[in-house]
Protein backbone atom coordinates (compact mmCIF):
# COMPACT_ATOMS: atom_id res chain seq x y z
CA UNK A 1 0.00 0.00 0.00
CA UNK A 2 1.27 3.44 -0.90
CA UNK A 3 0.42 6.14 1.63
CA UNK A 4 -0.85 9.45 0.24
CA UNK A 5 -2.75 12.49 1.48
CA UNK A 6 -6.27 13.56 0.61
CA UNK A 7 -4.58 16.33 -1.41
CA UNK A 8 -3.38 13.62 -3.82
CA UNK A 9 -6.97 12.43 -4.29
CA UNK A 10 -8.18 16.03 -4.68
CA UNK A 11 -5.49 16.81 -7.28
CA UNK A 12 -6.43 13.63 -9.17
CA UNK A 13 -10.10 14.67 -9.18
CA UNK A 14 -9.17 18.07 -10.62
CA UNK A 15 -7.06 16.38 -13.29
CA UNK A 16 -10.01 14.17 -14.23
CA UNK A 17 -11.88 17.30 -15.32
CA UNK A 18 -9.44 17.73 -18.22
CA UNK A 19 -8.36 14.19 -19.08
CA UNK A 20 -9.04 10.54 -18.34
CA UNK A 21 -6.96 9.47 -15.34
CA UNK A 22 -7.60 7.01 -12.51
CA UNK A 23 -6.69 7.04 -8.87
CA UNK A 24 -4.80 3.78 -8.75
CA UNK A 25 -5.70 0.96 -6.38
CA UNK A 26 -3.37 0.19 -3.52
CA UNK A 27 -3.31 3.69 -2.01
CA UNK A 28 -4.37 4.64 1.49
CA UNK A 29 -4.72 7.96 3.27
CA UNK A 30 -3.54 8.47 6.83
CA UNK A 31 -5.98 11.03 8.23
CA UNK A 32 -5.39 12.34 11.72
CA UNK A 33 -8.10 13.99 13.79
CA UNK A 34 -7.97 15.01 17.43
CA UNK A 35 -5.01 17.34 16.83
CA UNK A 36 -4.58 19.71 19.78
CA UNK A 37 -1.96 22.27 20.83
CA UNK A 38 -0.67 19.63 23.24
CA UNK A 39 -0.10 16.86 20.67
CA UNK A 40 0.47 18.58 17.32
CA UNK A 41 4.27 18.61 17.63
CA UNK A 42 4.52 15.00 18.81
CA UNK A 43 2.21 13.68 16.09
CA UNK A 44 3.86 15.61 13.28
CA UNK A 45 7.37 14.68 14.42
CA UNK A 46 6.51 10.97 14.63
CA UNK A 47 4.97 10.95 11.15
CA UNK A 48 7.66 13.10 9.55
CA UNK A 49 10.55 11.11 11.04
CA UNK A 50 9.04 7.96 9.56
CA UNK A 51 8.34 9.54 6.16
CA UNK A 52 4.58 9.12 6.48
CA UNK A 53 2.44 11.61 4.57
CA UNK A 54 -0.83 12.48 6.30
CA UNK A 55 -3.87 14.70 6.23
CA UNK A 56 -4.47 16.54 9.51
CA UNK A 57 -8.04 17.51 10.33
CA UNK A 58 -7.75 20.62 12.46
CA UNK A 59 -10.55 21.84 14.75
CA UNK A 60 -10.15 25.56 14.42
CA UNK A 61 -11.14 26.24 18.04
CA UNK A 62 -7.54 25.12 18.72
CA UNK A 63 -6.04 27.62 16.25
CA UNK A 64 -4.71 30.94 17.47
CA UNK A 65 -2.04 32.59 19.60
CA UNK A 66 -2.65 30.36 22.62
CA UNK A 67 -3.22 27.21 20.56
CA UNK A 68 -1.90 25.91 17.26
CA UNK A 69 -0.27 28.99 15.79
CA UNK A 70 -0.29 30.15 12.19
CA UNK A 71 3.46 29.46 12.15
CA UNK A 72 2.85 25.85 13.24
CA UNK A 73 0.21 25.40 10.52
CA UNK A 74 2.57 26.75 7.86
CA UNK A 75 5.37 24.52 9.17
CA UNK A 76 3.10 21.46 8.98
CA UNK A 77 2.23 22.43 5.43
CA UNK A 78 5.89 22.98 4.50
CA UNK A 79 6.67 19.52 5.89
CA UNK A 80 4.21 17.99 3.40
CA UNK A 81 1.18 17.54 5.61
CA UNK A 82 -2.24 18.29 4.17
CA UNK A 83 -4.37 20.49 6.46
CA UNK A 84 -8.14 20.19 6.32
CA UNK A 85 -11.16 20.99 8.48
CA UNK A 86 -12.18 19.09 11.57
CA UNK A 87 -14.99 21.61 12.11
CA UNK A 88 -14.67 24.46 14.53
CA UNK A 89 -15.82 23.18 17.91
CA UNK A 90 -15.88 19.43 17.31
CA UNK A 91 -19.58 19.23 18.17
CA UNK A 92 -21.69 16.53 16.52
CA UNK A 93 -22.96 18.36 13.44
CA UNK A 94 -26.22 16.42 13.31
CA UNK A 95 -27.48 18.08 16.50
CA UNK A 96 -26.85 21.68 15.42
CA UNK A 97 -29.41 24.08 14.02
CA UNK A 98 -29.07 24.95 10.34
CA UNK A 99 -27.46 28.30 11.23
CA UNK A 100 -25.03 26.69 13.69
CA UNK A 101 -24.16 23.97 11.17
CA UNK A 102 -23.45 26.52 8.45
CA UNK A 103 -21.30 28.61 10.82
CA UNK A 104 -19.39 25.54 12.07
CA UNK A 105 -18.44 24.44 8.55
CA UNK A 106 -17.88 27.84 6.95
CA UNK A 107 -15.93 29.31 9.88
CA UNK A 108 -13.51 26.42 10.08
CA UNK A 109 -12.85 26.46 6.35
CA UNK A 110 -12.34 30.24 6.27
CA UNK A 111 -9.91 30.28 9.20
CA UNK A 112 -7.74 27.53 7.71
CA UNK A 113 -7.76 29.05 4.23
CA UNK A 114 -6.83 32.47 5.59
CA UNK A 115 -3.91 31.06 7.57
CA UNK A 116 -2.55 28.58 5.02
CA UNK A 117 -3.42 30.27 1.71
CA UNK A 118 -4.57 26.86 0.47
CA UNK A 119 -7.98 25.61 -0.54
CA UNK A 120 -9.69 23.60 2.18
CA UNK A 121 -11.79 21.02 0.36
CA UNK A 122 -12.31 18.28 2.98
CA UNK A 123 -14.01 17.98 6.33
CA UNK A 124 -13.82 15.18 8.87
CA UNK A 125 -17.23 15.07 10.46
CA UNK A 126 -16.71 15.33 14.23
CA UNK A 127 -17.27 11.91 15.79
CA UNK A 128 -17.58 10.56 12.22
CA UNK A 129 -21.27 11.41 12.20
CA UNK A 130 -23.17 12.84 9.27
CA UNK A 131 -26.56 12.69 7.60
CA UNK A 132 -28.08 14.10 4.42
CA UNK A 133 -28.61 17.56 6.02
CA UNK A 134 -24.97 17.73 7.18
CA UNK A 135 -23.74 16.64 3.75
CA UNK A 136 -25.88 19.28 2.03
CA UNK A 137 -24.41 21.90 4.37
CA UNK A 138 -20.88 20.66 3.62
CA UNK A 139 -21.53 21.06 -0.11
CA UNK A 140 -22.97 24.55 0.45
CA UNK A 141 -19.86 25.45 2.49
CA UNK A 142 -17.62 24.44 -0.42
CA UNK A 143 -16.35 21.01 0.63
CA UNK A 144 -15.75 18.33 -2.01
CA UNK A 145 -14.75 15.51 0.37
CA UNK A 146 -16.11 14.46 3.74
CA UNK A 147 -14.74 11.74 6.00
CA UNK A 148 -17.32 9.78 7.96
CA UNK A 149 -17.07 7.05 10.55
CA UNK A 150 -18.37 4.33 8.24
CA UNK A 151 -15.80 1.51 8.30
CA UNK A 152 -14.74 0.34 4.84
CA UNK A 153 -11.61 0.21 2.71
CA UNK A 154 -12.94 1.52 -0.60
CA UNK A 155 -15.46 4.00 -1.97
CA UNK A 156 -17.16 5.13 -5.15
CA UNK A 157 -17.59 8.59 -6.68
CA UNK A 158 -21.02 9.04 -5.11
CA UNK A 159 -19.43 8.71 -1.65
CA UNK A 160 -17.02 11.69 -1.86
CA UNK A 161 -18.87 13.45 0.96
CA UNK A 162 -19.20 10.24 2.97
CA UNK A 163 -15.77 8.70 2.61
CA UNK A 164 -15.34 5.64 4.81
CA UNK A 165 -12.65 5.44 7.46
CA UNK A 166 -11.10 2.95 9.82
CA UNK A 167 -10.47 4.26 13.31
CA UNK A 168 -7.16 3.53 15.01
CA UNK A 169 -6.54 4.73 18.55
CA UNK A 170 -3.69 4.44 21.02
Amino acid sequence: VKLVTLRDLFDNLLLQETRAVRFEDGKAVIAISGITPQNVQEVSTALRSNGIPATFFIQTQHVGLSGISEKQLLTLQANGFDLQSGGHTGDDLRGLSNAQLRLELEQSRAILEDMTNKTVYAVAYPRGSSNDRVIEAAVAAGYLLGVSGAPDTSFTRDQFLRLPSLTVTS
Side-chain angles (χ1 to χ4, degrees):
V1 173
K2 180 180 180 190
L3 297 176
V4 297
T5 66
L6 274 180
R7 173 88 40 202
D8 296 311
L9 174 60
F10 177 73
D11 290 344
N12 187 272
L13 293 172
L14 292 180
L15 196 56
Q16 285 178 354
E17 292 181 5
T18 59
R19 59 180 221 219
V21 293
R22 280 189 68 220
F23 197 70
E24 300 131 19
D25 291 337
K27 292 185 178 178
V29 173
I30 300 292
I32 311 290
S33 60
I35 299 294
T36 66
Q38 294 75 31
N39 69 16
V40 64
Q41 191 64 43
E42 183 180 358
V43 171
S44 62
T45 299
L47 292 168
R48 187 165 180 249
S49 66
N50 287 290
I52 298 172
T55 297
F56 286 17
F57 286 101
I58 307 291
Q59 285 180 6
T60 51
Q61 71 175 350
H62 297 301
V63 173
L65 295 176
S66 62
I68 301 170
S69 69
E70 182 176 359
K71 182 180 177 184
Q72 282 179 301
L73 291 174
L74 294 173
T75 300
L76 290 170
Q77 206 171 350
N79 288 335
F81 296 112
D82 179 28
L83 306 179
Q84 298 300 320
S85 172
H88 183 69
T89 63
D91 291 339
D92 187 333
L93 300 177
R94 298 171 303 172
L96 301 179
S97 71
N98 288 341
Q100 290 170 319
L101 176 58
R102 187 178 67 249
L103 180 63
E104 179 83 11
L105 293 170
E106 290 174 0
Q107 182 179 26
S108 177
R109 184 170 187 234
I111 289 169
L112 289 172
E113 286 183 346
D114 286 347
M115 289 190 154
T116 64
N117 292 315
K118 290 270 190 175
T119 300
V120 173
Y121 53 84
V123 60
Y125 304 114
R127 299 182 180 98
S129 301
S130 66
N131 57 27
D132 290 341
R133 185 177 69 92
V134 169
I135 289 171
E136 287 173 16
V139 170
Y143 294 100
L144 176 65
L145 304 173
V147 178
S148 72
D152 206 342
T153 58
S154 62
F155 60 91
T156 59
R157 287 187 76 82
D158 64 340
Q159 293 175 294
F160 283 161
L161 284 151
R162 232 183 224 143
L163 293 172
S165 63
L166 301 173
T167 302
V168 179
T169 65
S170 57

